[in-house]
Amino acid sequence: MLNALEVFTTVVVGLMVGVEFAVAFVLNPILGGLPGDNGLRGRVHGARMLGAVMPFWYIGSLVLSAVWAVAAWHDDGAVLVVIGAALLIVSVVMSVVLLVPINNRSKAWNTENLPEDWKEQLGRWDGFHYVRVAVIIAAFALLVTALV
């Protein structure tokens, strides 16, 4: 049963990493290269869609990692799982404190109501997101390492 939990948790976290990596290094650069306000429209839609899904994914990943850490407390890789779960906590705190406020503002944007600093806000979101991606990649790497 523990093996199934370990594999399931690693897959869930790995998929989350893949989505967030794709947002940072594939989707947002593509949207940024579109003409007119098309890129902004895409980012606003993404803020709405992913903003509704990702909280459950982040919290679910954290809960799964915590359950794994407790279930495997006396195993050799438990320390790695605990550190991975701690990094997932960091990613959740970063999300709530740094990224979600910008995301919530941007969900209501359109070409008629853009704040003057909208590009700077998206740039800050991107910068915070790059750091968050690095944090969840590190968490994922620790979980994978704990499997072996």
Side-chain angles (χ1 to χ4, degrees):
M1 185 69 160
L2 181 58
N3 287 342
L5 173 65
E6 294 168 346
V7 170
F8 183 71
T9 302
T10 305
V11 169
V12 168
V13 173
L15 290 170
M16 181 178 71
V17 167
V19 168
E20 295 291 35
F21 186 90
V23 166
F25 297 104
V26 179
L27 295 175
N28 284 348
I30 288 171
L31 293 172
L34 293 175
D37 68 345
N38 292 315
L40 176 62
R41 288 180 187 209
R43 285 189 69 141
V44 167
H45 181 66
R48 287 187 197 122
M49 187 184 90
L50 292 173
V53 173
M54 295 315 285
F56 298 103
W57 210 340
Y58 272 82
I59 298 299
S61 295
L62 175 56
V63 168
L64 287 168
S65 297
V67 170
W68 177 2
V70 170
W73 188 248
H74 296 292
D75 293 350
D76 292 338
V79 171
L80 298 174
V81 178
V82 170
I83 297 169
L87 288 173
L88 291 174
I89 291 171
V90 169
S91 74
V92 169
V93 171
M94 284 182 66
S95 298
V96 171
V97 173
L98 302 172
L99 290 115
V100 168
I102 298 170
N103 197 57
N104 285 343
R105 286 192 299 272
S106 72
K107 287 192 289 189
W109 291 348
N110 59 50
T111 53
E112 290 81 38
N113 72 349
L114 284 175
E116 288 186 27
D117 68 339
W118 69 273
K119 288 183 180 178
E120 290 80 13
Q121 289 189 53
L122 290 182
R124 278 195 309 276
W125 190 94
D126 287 342
F128 294 143
H129 184 64
Y130 294 141
V131 174
R132 179 175 62 177
V133 168
V135 168
I136 63 175
I137 287 172
F140 177 65
L142 288 166
L143 295 178
V144 170
T145 305
L147 282 174
V148 292

